[in-house]
Short mmCIF file of all heavy atoms in Angstrom, two decimals:
data_model
loop_
_atom_site.label_atom_id
_atom_site.label_comp_id
_atom_site.label_asym_id
_atom_site.label_seq_id
_atom_site.Cartn_x
_atom_site.Cartn_y
_atom_site.Cartn_z
N ILE A 41 9.19 3.64 6.93
CA ILE A 41 9.21 2.20 7.23
C ILE A 41 9.74 1.43 6.03
O ILE A 41 10.60 0.54 6.16
CB ILE A 41 7.80 1.71 7.62
CG1 ILE A 41 7.36 2.35 8.93
CG2 ILE A 41 7.77 0.19 7.74
CD1 ILE A 41 5.92 2.05 9.31
N ALA A 42 9.23 1.76 4.83
CA ALA A 42 9.70 1.08 3.62
C ALA A 42 11.20 1.28 3.41
O ALA A 42 11.92 0.35 3.02
CB ALA A 42 8.92 1.59 2.41
N TRP A 43 11.68 2.49 3.69
CA TRP A 43 13.11 2.79 3.54
C TRP A 43 13.94 1.92 4.49
O TRP A 43 14.97 1.35 4.10
CB TRP A 43 13.34 4.27 3.80
CG TRP A 43 14.79 4.69 3.89
CD1 TRP A 43 15.55 4.80 5.01
CD2 TRP A 43 15.65 5.01 2.80
NE1 TRP A 43 16.82 5.19 4.70
CE2 TRP A 43 16.91 5.32 3.34
CE3 TRP A 43 15.48 5.08 1.41
CZ2 TRP A 43 17.99 5.69 2.53
CZ3 TRP A 43 16.55 5.45 0.62
CH2 TRP A 43 17.79 5.75 1.17
N LEU A 44 13.53 1.83 5.74
CA LEU A 44 14.26 1.02 6.71
C LEU A 44 14.34 -0.44 6.27
O LEU A 44 15.37 -1.10 6.44
CB LEU A 44 13.59 1.12 8.08
CG LEU A 44 13.69 2.47 8.81
CD1 LEU A 44 12.79 2.47 10.05
CD2 LEU A 44 15.14 2.76 9.21
N LEU A 45 13.25 -0.93 5.71
CA LEU A 45 13.21 -2.34 5.30
C LEU A 45 14.00 -2.57 4.02
O LEU A 45 14.78 -3.54 3.93
CB LEU A 45 11.75 -2.78 5.11
CG LEU A 45 10.88 -2.78 6.37
CD1 LEU A 45 9.43 -3.04 6.03
CD2 LEU A 45 11.39 -3.83 7.36
N LYS A 46 13.81 -1.71 3.03
CA LYS A 46 14.48 -1.91 1.74
C LYS A 46 15.99 -1.74 1.83
O LYS A 46 16.74 -2.35 1.07
CB LYS A 46 13.90 -0.94 0.70
CG LYS A 46 12.59 -1.43 0.09
CD LYS A 46 12.33 -0.73 -1.23
CE LYS A 46 11.20 -1.40 -1.98
NZ LYS A 46 11.00 -0.81 -3.32
N THR A 47 16.44 -0.88 2.75
CA THR A 47 17.89 -0.68 2.91
C THR A 47 18.50 -1.72 3.83
O THR A 47 19.70 -1.67 4.12
CB THR A 47 18.19 0.72 3.45
OG1 THR A 47 17.46 0.92 4.67
CG2 THR A 47 17.80 1.79 2.44
N GLY A 48 17.68 -2.65 4.31
CA GLY A 48 18.19 -3.73 5.15
C GLY A 48 18.56 -3.30 6.56
O GLY A 48 19.26 -4.03 7.26
N GLN A 49 18.07 -2.14 7.00
CA GLN A 49 18.42 -1.67 8.34
C GLN A 49 17.64 -2.39 9.43
O GLN A 49 18.03 -2.35 10.60
CB GLN A 49 18.16 -0.16 8.44
CG GLN A 49 19.03 0.67 7.52
CD GLN A 49 18.76 2.16 7.68
OE1 GLN A 49 18.87 2.70 8.78
NE2 GLN A 49 18.42 2.82 6.58
N THR A 50 16.54 -3.03 9.05
CA THR A 50 15.74 -3.73 10.05
C THR A 50 14.85 -4.74 9.36
O THR A 50 14.77 -4.81 8.12
CB THR A 50 14.89 -2.73 10.86
OG1 THR A 50 14.35 -3.38 12.00
CG2 THR A 50 13.76 -2.15 10.02
N LEU A 51 14.15 -5.55 10.18
CA LEU A 51 13.18 -6.53 9.68
C LEU A 51 11.77 -6.08 10.08
O LEU A 51 11.61 -5.31 11.03
CB LEU A 51 13.47 -7.91 10.30
CG LEU A 51 14.82 -8.54 9.96
CD1 LEU A 51 15.04 -9.79 10.80
CD2 LEU A 51 14.88 -8.88 8.47
N PRO A 52 10.75 -6.57 9.38
CA PRO A 52 9.38 -6.18 9.74
C PRO A 52 9.04 -6.41 11.20
O PRO A 52 8.37 -5.59 11.83
CB PRO A 52 8.52 -7.04 8.81
CG PRO A 52 9.38 -7.28 7.61
CD PRO A 52 10.76 -7.41 8.16
N ARG A 53 9.52 -7.51 11.78
CA ARG A 53 9.18 -7.83 13.16
C ARG A 53 9.82 -6.90 14.17
O ARG A 53 9.47 -6.92 15.36
CB ARG A 53 9.52 -9.28 13.48
CG ARG A 53 11.00 -9.59 13.56
CD ARG A 53 11.25 -11.04 13.97
NE ARG A 53 10.50 -11.41 15.15
CZ ARG A 53 10.94 -11.25 16.40
NH1 ARG A 53 12.12 -10.68 16.61
NH2 ARG A 53 10.22 -11.63 17.42
N ASN A 54 10.76 -6.08 13.72
CA ASN A 54 11.43 -5.14 14.62
C ASN A 54 10.79 -3.75 14.61
O ASN A 54 11.33 -2.81 15.19
CB ASN A 54 12.91 -5.01 14.25
CG ASN A 54 13.66 -6.32 14.35
OD1 ASN A 54 14.38 -6.71 13.43
ND2 ASN A 54 13.49 -7.03 15.45
N ILE A 55 9.62 -3.64 13.97
CA ILE A 55 8.96 -2.33 13.83
C ILE A 55 7.67 -2.29 14.64
O ILE A 55 6.84 -3.19 14.56
CB ILE A 55 8.67 -2.03 12.35
CG1 ILE A 55 9.99 -1.74 11.62
CG2 ILE A 55 7.72 -0.85 12.21
CD1 ILE A 55 9.83 -1.54 10.14
N LEU A 56 7.53 -1.23 15.43
CA LEU A 56 6.30 -0.93 16.17
C LEU A 56 5.82 0.44 15.72
O LEU A 56 6.53 1.43 15.85
CB LEU A 56 6.58 -0.92 17.68
CG LEU A 56 5.45 -0.47 18.61
CD1 LEU A 56 4.33 -1.51 18.63
CD2 LEU A 56 5.97 -0.24 20.03
N ALA A 57 4.61 0.49 15.16
CA ALA A 57 4.06 1.76 14.68
C ALA A 57 2.76 2.04 15.42
O ALA A 57 1.85 1.22 15.42
CB ALA A 57 3.82 1.71 13.17
N VAL A 58 2.68 3.23 16.03
CA VAL A 58 1.52 3.61 16.84
C VAL A 58 0.74 4.71 16.13
O VAL A 58 1.30 5.76 15.79
CB VAL A 58 1.94 4.11 18.24
CG1 VAL A 58 0.71 4.30 19.12
CG2 VAL A 58 2.90 3.13 18.89
N THR A 59 -0.55 4.46 15.90
CA THR A 59 -1.44 5.46 15.32
C THR A 59 -2.51 5.81 16.35
O THR A 59 -2.62 5.17 17.38
CB THR A 59 -2.11 4.94 14.05
OG1 THR A 59 -2.97 3.84 14.40
CG2 THR A 59 -1.08 4.47 13.04
N PHE A 60 -3.33 6.83 16.03
CA PHE A 60 -4.34 7.23 17.01
C PHE A 60 -5.75 6.74 16.67
O PHE A 60 -6.66 6.89 17.46
CB PHE A 60 -4.33 8.75 17.24
CG PHE A 60 -3.57 9.12 18.48
CD1 PHE A 60 -2.19 9.08 18.49
CD2 PHE A 60 -4.23 9.44 19.65
CE1 PHE A 60 -1.48 9.38 19.63
CE2 PHE A 60 -3.53 9.75 20.80
CZ PHE A 60 -2.16 9.72 20.81
N THR A 61 -5.92 6.15 15.50
CA THR A 61 -7.20 5.54 15.16
C THR A 61 -6.94 4.24 14.43
O THR A 61 -5.89 4.04 13.80
CB THR A 61 -8.05 6.45 14.24
OG1 THR A 61 -7.40 6.59 12.98
CG2 THR A 61 -8.30 7.82 14.87
N ASN A 62 -7.91 3.33 14.51
CA ASN A 62 -7.80 2.08 13.77
C ASN A 62 -7.80 2.34 12.26
O ASN A 62 -7.15 1.63 11.50
CB ASN A 62 -8.97 1.15 14.14
CG ASN A 62 -8.81 0.57 15.53
OD1 ASN A 62 -7.74 0.12 15.90
ND2 ASN A 62 -9.87 0.61 16.31
N LYS A 63 -8.54 3.37 11.85
CA LYS A 63 -8.57 3.71 10.43
C LYS A 63 -7.17 4.09 9.95
O LYS A 63 -6.74 3.66 8.87
CB LYS A 63 -9.54 4.88 10.20
CG LYS A 63 -9.60 5.32 8.74
CD LYS A 63 -10.45 6.57 8.59
CE LYS A 63 -10.41 7.09 7.16
NZ LYS A 63 -11.13 8.37 7.00
N ALA A 64 -6.45 4.90 10.74
CA ALA A 64 -5.10 5.30 10.36
C ALA A 64 -4.17 4.09 10.31
O ALA A 64 -3.29 4.01 9.44
CB ALA A 64 -4.57 6.34 11.35
N ALA A 65 -4.36 3.16 11.23
CA ALA A 65 -3.53 1.94 11.23
C ALA A 65 -3.77 1.13 9.96
O ALA A 65 -2.83 0.63 9.33
CB ALA A 65 -3.84 1.10 12.47
N ARG A 66 -5.05 0.99 9.58
CA ARG A 66 -5.36 0.23 8.37
C ARG A 66 -4.79 0.91 7.12
O ARG A 66 -4.30 0.25 6.21
CB ARG A 66 -6.88 0.07 8.23
CG ARG A 66 -7.48 -0.91 9.23
CD ARG A 66 -8.93 -1.25 8.87
NE ARG A 66 -9.80 -0.10 9.02
CZ ARG A 66 -10.48 0.19 10.12
NH1 ARG A 66 -10.36 -0.59 11.18
NH2 ARG A 66 -11.28 1.24 10.18
N GLU A 67 -4.86 2.25 7.10
CA GLU A 67 -4.32 2.98 5.96
C GLU A 67 -2.82 2.80 5.87
O GLU A 67 -2.26 2.61 4.77
CB GLU A 67 -4.66 4.47 6.08
CG GLU A 67 -4.18 5.30 4.90
CD GLU A 67 -4.50 6.78 5.05
OE1 GLU A 67 -5.15 7.16 6.05
OE2 GLU A 67 -4.09 7.56 4.16
N LEU A 68 -2.14 2.82 7.01
CA LEU A 68 -0.70 2.64 7.03
C LEU A 68 -0.32 1.28 6.49
O LEU A 68 0.57 1.14 5.64
CB LEU A 68 -0.19 2.82 8.47
CG LEU A 68 1.33 2.92 8.67
CD1 LEU A 68 1.88 4.17 8.02
CD2 LEU A 68 1.67 2.90 10.15
N VAL A 69 -1.00 0.24 6.96
CA VAL A 69 -0.72 -1.13 6.51
C VAL A 69 -1.03 -1.28 5.03
O VAL A 69 -0.27 -1.90 4.27
CB VAL A 69 -1.55 -2.14 7.34
CG1 VAL A 69 -1.48 -3.53 6.72
CG2 VAL A 69 -1.04 -2.18 8.78
N SER A 70 -2.14 -0.69 4.58
CA SER A 70 -2.52 -0.78 3.16
C SER A 70 -1.48 -0.13 2.27
O SER A 70 -1.09 -0.69 1.23
CB SER A 70 -3.90 -0.13 2.96
OG SER A 70 -4.25 -0.11 1.60
N ARG A 71 -1.02 1.05 2.64
CA ARG A 71 -0.01 1.75 1.83
C ARG A 71 1.29 0.97 1.78
O ARG A 71 1.94 0.90 0.73
CB ARG A 71 0.23 3.15 2.38
CG ARG A 71 -0.93 4.12 2.17
CD ARG A 71 -0.43 5.55 2.33
NE ARG A 71 -1.51 6.52 2.34
CZ ARG A 71 -1.33 7.83 2.32
NH1 ARG A 71 -0.10 8.33 2.30
NH2 ARG A 71 -2.34 8.66 2.34
N LEU A 72 1.68 0.40 2.92
CA LEU A 72 2.92 -0.38 2.94
C LEU A 72 2.80 -1.61 2.04
O LEU A 72 3.75 -1.98 1.34
CB LEU A 72 3.25 -0.80 4.37
CG LEU A 72 3.96 0.24 5.23
CD1 LEU A 72 4.00 -0.20 6.69
CD2 LEU A 72 5.38 0.48 4.72
N SER A 73 1.65 -2.24 2.08
CA SER A 73 1.43 -3.43 1.25
C SER A 73 1.54 -3.09 -0.22
O SER A 73 2.02 -3.89 -1.04
CB SER A 73 0.06 -4.04 1.55
OG SER A 73 -0.03 -4.42 2.91
N ASP A 74 1.08 -1.89 -0.59
CA ASP A 74 1.13 -1.46 -1.98
C ASP A 74 2.54 -1.08 -2.42
O ASP A 74 2.89 -1.18 -3.60
CB ASP A 74 0.20 -0.27 -2.21
CG ASP A 74 -1.27 -0.64 -2.06
OD1 ASP A 74 -1.58 -1.85 -2.16
OD2 ASP A 74 -2.10 0.27 -1.83
N MET A 75 3.36 -0.62 -1.48
CA MET A 75 4.68 -0.10 -1.82
C MET A 75 5.68 -1.20 -2.12
O MET A 75 6.59 -1.04 -2.94
CB MET A 75 5.22 0.77 -0.69
CG MET A 75 4.45 2.07 -0.51
SD MET A 75 5.04 3.05 0.89
CE MET A 75 6.52 3.76 0.21
N ALA A 76 5.56 -2.34 -1.45
CA ALA A 76 6.53 -3.43 -1.64
C ALA A 76 5.96 -4.71 -1.05
O ALA A 76 4.94 -4.70 -0.35
CB ALA A 76 7.86 -3.08 -0.97
N SER A 77 6.62 -5.79 -1.32
CA SER A 77 6.14 -7.10 -0.85
C SER A 77 6.65 -7.38 0.56
O SER A 77 7.33 -8.37 0.81
CB SER A 77 6.61 -8.20 -1.80
OG SER A 77 8.02 -8.16 -1.93
N PHE A 78 6.31 -6.48 1.49
CA PHE A 78 6.71 -6.70 2.88
C PHE A 78 5.66 -7.56 3.58
O PHE A 78 4.47 -7.48 3.28
CB PHE A 78 6.82 -5.36 3.63
CG PHE A 78 7.77 -4.39 3.01
CD1 PHE A 78 7.35 -3.11 2.68
CD2 PHE A 78 9.08 -4.75 2.75
CE1 PHE A 78 8.21 -2.21 2.10
CE2 PHE A 78 9.95 -3.85 2.18
CZ PHE A 78 9.53 -2.59 1.85
N ASN A 79 6.12 -8.35 4.52
CA ASN A 79 5.19 -9.13 5.34
C ASN A 79 4.74 -8.24 6.49
O ASN A 79 5.25 -8.31 7.60
CB ASN A 79 5.87 -10.40 5.86
CG ASN A 79 4.87 -11.35 6.50
OD1 ASN A 79 3.69 -11.02 6.63
ND2 ASN A 79 5.33 -12.51 6.89
N VAL A 80 3.78 -7.37 6.20
CA VAL A 80 3.37 -6.36 7.18
C VAL A 80 2.76 -6.97 8.43
O VAL A 80 2.69 -6.32 9.48
CB VAL A 80 2.39 -5.36 6.55
CG1 VAL A 80 3.06 -4.55 5.46
CG2 VAL A 80 1.16 -6.07 6.01
N ARG A 81 2.31 -8.22 8.36
CA ARG A 81 1.70 -8.85 9.53
C ARG A 81 2.73 -9.13 10.62
O ARG A 81 2.37 -9.36 11.77
CB ARG A 81 0.97 -10.13 9.13
CG ARG A 81 -0.26 -9.88 8.27
CD ARG A 81 -0.83 -11.19 7.73
NE ARG A 81 -1.38 -12.00 8.80
CZ ARG A 81 -2.61 -11.86 9.28
NH1 ARG A 81 -3.41 -10.93 8.81
NH2 ARG A 81 -3.04 -12.66 10.24
N ASP A 82 4.01 -9.11 10.25
CA ASP A 82 5.05 -9.31 11.26
C ASP A 82 5.30 -8.04 12.08
O ASP A 82 5.93 -8.08 13.12
CB ASP A 82 6.36 -9.73 10.59
CG ASP A 82 6.33 -11.19 10.17
OD1 ASP A 82 5.31 -11.86 10.44
OD2 ASP A 82 7.30 -11.66 9.56
N MET A 83 4.83 -6.89 11.58
CA MET A 83 4.97 -5.65 12.34
C MET A 83 3.85 -5.56 13.37
O MET A 83 2.82 -6.20 13.25
CB MET A 83 4.85 -4.43 11.41
CG MET A 83 5.80 -4.42 10.24
SD MET A 83 5.43 -2.99 9.18
CE MET A 83 6.37 -3.43 7.72
N TRP A 84 4.06 -4.73 14.37
CA TRP A 84 2.98 -4.37 15.28
C TRP A 84 2.55 -2.96 14.90
O TRP A 84 3.28 -1.99 15.12
CB TRP A 84 3.46 -4.43 16.74
CG TRP A 84 3.40 -5.80 17.33
CD1 TRP A 84 3.58 -6.98 16.69
CD2 TRP A 84 3.15 -6.12 18.71
NE1 TRP A 84 3.46 -8.03 17.56
CE2 TRP A 84 3.20 -7.54 18.81
CE3 TRP A 84 2.91 -5.38 19.84
CZ2 TRP A 84 3.00 -8.20 20.01
CZ3 TRP A 84 2.71 -6.04 21.05
CH2 TRP A 84 2.75 -7.43 21.13
N VAL A 85 1.36 -2.86 14.31
CA VAL A 85 0.82 -1.57 13.89
C VAL A 85 -0.57 -1.43 14.49
O VAL A 85 -1.42 -2.31 14.33
CB VAL A 85 0.74 -1.46 12.35
CG1 VAL A 85 0.20 -0.10 11.94
CG2 VAL A 85 2.09 -1.71 11.72
N GLY A 86 -0.82 -0.34 15.19
CA GLY A 86 -2.15 -0.15 15.77
C GLY A 86 -2.20 1.05 16.69
O GLY A 86 -1.22 1.78 16.85
N THR A 87 -3.35 1.23 17.31
CA THR A 87 -3.51 2.29 18.30
C THR A 87 -2.87 1.86 19.61
O THR A 87 -2.54 0.69 19.80
CB THR A 87 -5.00 2.56 18.55
OG1 THR A 87 -5.60 1.38 19.11
CG2 THR A 87 -5.73 2.94 17.26
N PHE A 88 -2.70 2.80 20.54
CA PHE A 88 -2.19 2.44 21.86
C PHE A 88 -3.06 1.35 22.48
O PHE A 88 -2.55 0.37 23.01
CB PHE A 88 -2.17 3.67 22.77
CG PHE A 88 -0.95 4.54 22.61
CD1 PHE A 88 -1.03 5.75 21.93
CD2 PHE A 88 0.28 4.17 23.13
CE1 PHE A 88 0.07 6.56 21.78
CE2 PHE A 88 1.39 4.97 22.99
CZ PHE A 88 1.30 6.18 22.30
N HIS A 89 -4.38 1.53 22.41
CA HIS A 89 -5.27 0.55 23.03
C HIS A 89 -5.20 -0.79 22.32
O HIS A 89 -5.19 -1.85 22.96
CB HIS A 89 -6.70 1.08 23.01
CG HIS A 89 -6.91 2.27 23.88
ND1 HIS A 89 -7.32 3.49 23.39
CD2 HIS A 89 -6.73 2.45 25.21
CE1 HIS A 89 -7.39 4.36 24.38
NE2 HIS A 89 -7.04 3.77 25.49
N GLY A 90 -5.12 -0.78 20.99
CA GLY A 90 -5.04 -2.03 20.25
C GLY A 90 -3.75 -2.77 20.54
O GLY A 90 -3.75 -4.00 20.70
#
Side-chain angles (χ1 to χ4, degrees):
I41 294 173
W43 172 266
L44 290 171
L45 295 172
K46 278 200 168 185
T47 55
Q49 296 182 56
T50 192
L51 297 172
R53 70 176 310 272
N54 299 131
I55 289 176
L56 173 70
V58 188
T59 65
F60 261 75
T61 65
N62 287 314
K63 178 186 175 185
R66 287 192 293 267
E67 182 181 357
L68 191 65
V69 169
S70 175
R71 289 198 189 188
L72 278 170
S73 300
D74 293 340
M75 292 176 77
S77 56
F78 303 125
N79 190 355
V80 295
R81 292 172 67 85
D82 284 357
M83 305 175 193
W84 276 32
V85 181
T87 64
F88 277 104
H89 293 119

